[in-house]
Structures are given as structure tokens and as C-alpha cells.
Amino acid sequence: MILCCGEALIDMIPELTLQKTEGFVPHCGGAVMNTAVALGRLGVPTGLFTGLSDDMFGQQLVAHLHASNVDLSFAVTSSRPSTLAFVQFVEGQANYSFLDENSAGRMLNISDLPKVPEDVSVLFFGGISLATEPGAEAYATLLDRERRERVVMLDPNIRPQFIPDQKRYRARLERMLARTDILKVSDEDLDWMIPQPLPYAEKIAVLMKRGPNIVVMTRGSAGVVGFLPDGSEVNVMAERVDVVDTVGAGDTFNAGLLCKLDELDCLDIQTLRKLDSDALKQALAFASKVAAISVSRPGADPPWAVDVMD
């Protein structure tokens, strides 16, 4: 099983009302939840460790996760409110405004951490859940406690406006990077993590010295590039589709990457350290394909396995 660890929230998506004024419609979202849903739909055994509310939005999230075959036995339910993320689209890109104070997800603490069973072979972390405390420290502690011989993938999915304390956040990210096997970043994430004016390959090399064996950088319509431990690069062009919106695209990409690596029997630490360019290229191409399907649909709506069959 792949255990995804991080936020599940409600994206409030703008839509026109019958009166032709703009309103907001609640859609299930959250970077880590989207990855778990995409994995479940692709047929990969998947669980989600997160904080869920018992309010109406939390019930909506639970129904959505169950429908996508995500195991919720690791989730912690409380009567705190659900996190709401109000979305605004600017030139096709999603901008977010979060309501997260005292939320069920944010207020997770170390006492809520599950004992992870042996059949969990991969831990996935990321999203805004790594930015706000006390939940962020709980996730970092879970990684410290449960990493052992498990593969760890990290996608920080950095949203600077949501980071209350950049110094603490950067320190937490460094601590988690040291225990990470696969790091996925966007080009924007990379520039935030290493703001110096260096070529992206040099920035990736700096990150790899901090822990990850494999780094994948997405570049929107410019495609994706992966870096292996031997220093080689693998480039894959983006799929050409009519983009409806980009909500959940990177999250679906993560699921596609893990799904294909699992299919190729590459999701163990020793194999990843020796991963060759062909296997990585297959994984990146499949990830790009499932992400392309996602961006061709409104909202975060990852494809099912049948949707990506040749």
C-alpha cells in the first residue's frame, strides 16, 4: 500500500449562478488527497492519513474518498471545521485563498499519529499540510518514525502566501528532504527553494546532495525532466490537450509516477538507487498522460485506469 499523508480540503470553485452572478461551489480537493484519489482510481492500493471534520464538508470528502477506493482507516476525525480553499483563476492558473484556522487537518498533533503497518511500502508527503503547525510537525515526525526501509516521495507544492514562518518551514523541509527518495518539484517550487540565479540543473544537483535519489521537475506545457543518481537527465514532452483548468494536475502527475514505478517493480529503495533512464522515462510519460487527462476536465477529477488504457 501507498500511504498518502497530508491535507484533504474543500476547493470552493467559482461558477456562475442562475442569476448570472459569481458564486462558489464546493469540490473535494487538497494536494495530498488528490494524489490519493488518483492512485485509488488507477487501481493502486492506497490509504490516506489526514485530519477530517465531521461537518458537511468532511462528509463530502469521506464519500469522495470512499468512491475512489481510498482506505480511510488511518484518518483522524474531529468536530473541528474543514479547511476551505477559495479558488480564483487568472489566465488559466489557479490562485488560492485559504480558511484554515483551527481546522481538523491543521490541528493534527503527534498523539494522532498512526502505527503504520508493514504492508505500507511507500509514504507520500506534500502540500500545504507541511506549512502550518501543529499538523506540519506531526507529518514530519511521522516521516522520522516510520521511514525505515520504506520509499518516501515528497512534493512540497509550495504556496508562499500560506507559509506563516518561512524559516521554520525551510528547516522542516530540509529535515524531510534528508529522508526522501523521490522529490517532485515544479519550476516555481525550485526557484523558491533555491532563489539564487543558477541554471535549473545546478539547482537540482544542490537538492540531490540534500537527500533525494531522484528529482522530477515539472514545467507545465514545456514538459517534465527527471534526474537520476548518476547525473543523467530524462526529458518527456507534455501531452497536447485543451486545458480546462489546472487544479490537481501536479497531484495527478504524482499518482501516475508512483503507479508506473509500482507496475515496473521499482518502488523499493535499492531499485530506485539503480533506476535506469528507460524506466524513469516510462514513468514520466505515464504521469504526463494521466495529468493531461486531468487538466482537460473541470476541477480535480483524476482519471480511472480505464481512461488511460491504450
Side-chain angles (χ1 to χ4, degrees):
M1 175 183 283
I2 295 175
L3 181 60
C4 298
C5 309
E7 77 273 7
L9 52 80
I10 294 292
D11 285 326
M12 301 297 286
I13 306 294
E15 292 187 18
L16 287 179
T17 68
L18 293 176
Q19 292 74 35
K20 305 301 181 184
T21 58
E22 189 174 84
F24 288 90
V25 177
H27 293 263
C28 297
V32 176
M33 191 215 68
N34 289 337
T35 295
V37 164
L39 282 165
R41 292 184 179 187
L42 290 171
V44 180
T46 306
L48 178 65
F49 170 59
T50 193
L52 292 171
S53 174
D54 59 9
D55 65 13
M56 61 183 290
F57 297 121
Q59 293 170 34
Q60 180 179 340
L61 289 165
V62 167
H64 179 62
L65 287 156
H66 279 156
S68 297
N69 304 318
V70 178
D71 183 343
L72 290 180
S73 62
F74 300 94
V76 177
T77 303
S78 72
S79 294
R80 298 181 185 275
S82 295
T83 299
L84 304 181
F86 286 83
V87 182
Q88 180 183 37
F89 294 103
V90 179
E91 298 180 351
Q93 296 295 314
N95 294 327
Y96 297 84
S97 178
F98 293 92
L99 297 181
D100 190 49
E101 290 297 324
N102 202 40
S103 69
R106 181 173 182 171
M107 298 309 292
L108 276 179
N109 58 58
I110 292 173
S111 65
D112 294 316
L113 297 182
K115 179 175 175 54
V116 180
E118 293 297 326
D119 64 344
V120 172
S121 57
V122 180
L123 298 171
F124 173 83
F125 296 88
I128 65 169
S129 56
L130 303 184
T132 53
E133 300 177 21
E137 276 302 306
Y139 289 115
T141 300
L142 180 67
L143 174 54
D144 290 341
R145 180 191 297 180
E146 298 292 346
R147 191 230 193 275
R148 293 185 233 172
E149 292 303 308
R150 296 182 173 101
V151 169
V152 174
M153 180 173 175
L154 174 66
D155 174 11
N157 197 14
I158 297 166
R159 304 200 182 280
Q161 75 277 12
F162 200 71
I163 301 172
D165 188 329
Q166 287 200 10
K167 184 177 180 180
R168 287 179 64 85
Y169 176 76
R170 286 183 183 274
R172 184 180 304 114
L173 206 54
E174 288 294 314
R175 170 178 153 201
M176 297 182 76
L177 275 176
R179 294 163 175 79
T180 294
D181 301 291
I182 306 170
L183 173 66
K184 198 292 286 290
V185 291
S186 67
D187 46 4
E188 293 177 344
D189 292 336
L190 183 62
D191 288 340
W192 189 92
M193 294 171 76
I194 303 178
Q196 292 83 1
L198 300 170
Y200 71 77
E202 291 186 26
K203 293 186 179 186
I204 296 293
V206 170
L207 290 179
M208 294 185 81
K209 289 179 181 178
R210 297 175 183 175
N213 295 301
I214 296 168
V215 177
V216 173
M217 183 179 71
T218 56
R219 299 179 291 172
S221 61
V224 58
V225 56
F227 297 80
L228 289 165
D230 64 5
S232 59
E233 296 183 25
V234 177
N235 286 275
V236 172
M237 296 298 295
E239 297 264 338
R240 299 300 177 187
V241 295
D242 292 328
V243 176
V244 175
D245 72 54
T246 59
V247 174
D251 314 324
T252 304
F253 178 95
N254 293 334
L257 181 67
L258 289 171
C259 177
K260 180 56 72 171
L261 288 173
D262 182 53
E263 181 184 311
L264 296 172
D265 293 324
C266 293
L267 276 185
D268 68 80
I269 293 172
Q270 297 305 319
T271 303
L272 282 175
R273 288 174 179 166
K274 301 174 184 177
L275 193 70
D276 61 35
S277 296
D278 181 64
L280 181 58
K281 188 165 188 174
Q282 289 185 60
L284 295 178
F286 183 77
S288 297
K289 183 175 183 177
V290 295
I293 295 172
S294 181
V295 301
S296 71
R297 302 171 171 180
D301 186 13
W304 295 80
V306 67
D307 298 325
V308 292
M309 293 177 63
D310 294 326

